[in-house]
Amino acid sequence: MLEIKNLHVKLEDEDKQILKGVDLKVEPGKVHAIMGPNGSGKSTTSYVLAGREGYEVTEGSATLDGEDLFDMEPEERAAAGLFLAFQYPVEIPGVGNMTFLRTAVNSQRKLRGEDELSAGEFLKIVREKAKTLKIDADMLKRPVNVGFSGGEKKRNEILQMAMLEPKVCILDETDSGLDVDAMKLVAEGVNALRDGKRSFVVITHYQRLLDHIKPDYVHIMSNGRIIKSGGPELALEVENNGYTDLLAEQETA
Ligand code: ADP
Ligand code: MG
Ligand code: MG
């Protein structure tokens, strides 16, 4: 389980407080959506959990199955079961997708003290997963993300997620959003990876992704805090009325 308590984060190089007391409890098997206006701190939350540089935790905690995430290096957090799907997938010319995936999987296994997968074992697993996710075998041979379409990059991200078998997946949708087809791919991938134990935190600026990935809980973030939590109906409220009413409600509360 992922548990965030009273998380306060500022920029390392600037006197700017971004997160001002985020609380979130993600139980196994649950899908949480985080919505909120641009600039509210949604991406910062995911970056800080994943261990990206440039941020300083000034107060609060984040644990995964009781282990303090902020005591771990980014690779250790990943090996412990945290996966962040990046907003902007990196292209790695000259490195085949398959090689990249195998290196990623094996380095995590090593950190967990598990045996590395042989080329044969790995191939078997990657083929199975690719098939489940309807990913063309050809994509496995190409250099990582080079010349991939937006949809292919998303598909590849889902494959990475499937191969790493994380406990908690954080997906941060770009503010510009995905086109409808790419969004359906992501949703299908996520739904295929839902197994009753793995949990998801889906960060989205818009409601429409949640038509395809049905969340158990919806949280609204504003100005560095979660100001309201509820069920899927909260996303519909945002869809119909925007954030203005919710934000006003908060100010008068
Ligand atoms: P969201 O994902 O909800 O749109 P972000 O987490 O990206 O919000 O940003 C929250 C606030 O923090 C914004 O005001 C943004 O400009 C600021 N911010 C985040 N990271 C940085 C950074 N590295 N440098 C300067 N400002 C930043
Ligand atoms: Mg933003
Ligand atoms: Mg963002």
Side-chain angles (χ1 to χ4, degrees):
M1 179 173 75
L2 173 69
E3 191 164 15
I4 305 171
K5 279 188 192 160
N6 193 31
L7 184 60
H8 286 68
V9 170
K10 70 180 271 296
L11 289 179
E12 211 166 53
D13 302 332
E14 259 178 75
D15 199 15
K16 184 175 174 179
Q17 198 73 31
I18 301 177
L19 301 185
K20 304 167 183 173
V22 175
D23 287 290
L24 184 69
K25 213 173 178 174
V26 180
E27 273 148 2
K30 299 295 182 198
V31 177
H32 289 250
I34 300 181
M35 304 180 72
N38 207 354
S40 53
K42 304 182 298 297
S43 293
T44 301
T45 305
S46 63
Y47 296 157
V48 168
L49 292 176
R52 184 179 283 202
E53 286 176 20
Y55 302 98
E56 189 186 323
V57 175
T58 54
E59 208 182 322
S61 64
T63 55
L64 184 61
D65 290 338
E67 307 268 354
D68 186 350
L69 283 174
F70 300 142
D71 267 353
M72 301 180 201
E73 296 297 325
E75 318 71 84
E76 294 171 325
R77 300 179 195 197
L82 187 74
F83 180 89
L84 174 63
F86 293 106
Q87 284 191 326
Y88 306 103
V90 202
E91 299 186 6
I92 317 179
V95 178
N97 212 6
M98 196 89 99
T99 307
F100 174 78
L101 280 173
R102 195 173 141 212
T103 307
V105 168
N106 277 337
S107 68
Q108 289 200 2
R109 292 180 69 95
K110 217 166 151 184
L111 279 172
R112 288 196 297 259
E114 297 167 7
D115 286 342
E116 294 186 20
L117 296 176
S118 70
E121 286 166 325
F122 176 81
L123 196 63
K124 190 163 169 269
I125 299 172
V126 82
R127 279 190 179 143
E128 269 168 28
K129 304 245 186 207
K131 201 174 157 195
T132 313
L133 296 168
K134 300 188 192 111
I135 288 170
D136 201 77
D138 181 51
M139 219 170 85
L140 299 173
K141 295 179 201 142
R142 290 162 59 186
V144 181
N145 287 328
V146 177
F148 282 24
S149 69
E152 284 173 334
K153 283 183 181 172
K154 284 291 154 190
R155 235 189 250 260
N156 204 35
E157 220 162 51
I158 299 289
L159 179 64
Q160 289 172 9
M161 191 157 87
M163 288 307 297
L164 294 170
E165 303 196 313
K167 291 179 187 161
V168 179
C169 307
I170 303 176
L171 287 93
D172 190 355
E173 194 194 347
T174 50
D175 293 337
S176 54
L178 304 171
D179 65 39
V180 175
D181 290 336
M183 201 170 60
K184 281 187 184 155
L185 282 178
V186 170
E188 272 172 30
V190 166
N191 292 329
L193 295 178
R194 285 180 84 164
D195 63 357
K197 277 186 262 162
R198 181 168 298 136
S199 34
F200 294 85
V201 178
V202 180
I203 299 174
T204 180
H205 195 57
Y206 303 106
Q207 193 272 339
R208 50 185 196 161
L209 183 62
L210 306 179
D211 287 337
H212 305 281
I213 303 173
K214 216 175 156 354
D216 297 294
Y217 303 99
V218 174
H219 310 276
I220 309 295
M221 193 168 220
S222 167
N223 194 19
R225 303 175 69 170
I226 287 173
I227 59 159
K228 189 164 184 172
S229 298
E233 75 285 349
L234 194 51
L236 294 175
E237 195 181 324
V238 169
E239 171 87 337
N240 294 330
N241 307 327
Y243 292 112
T244 323
D245 290 356
L246 285 169
L247 301 185
E249 217 177 273
Q250 175 67 14
E251 270 160 28
T252 54

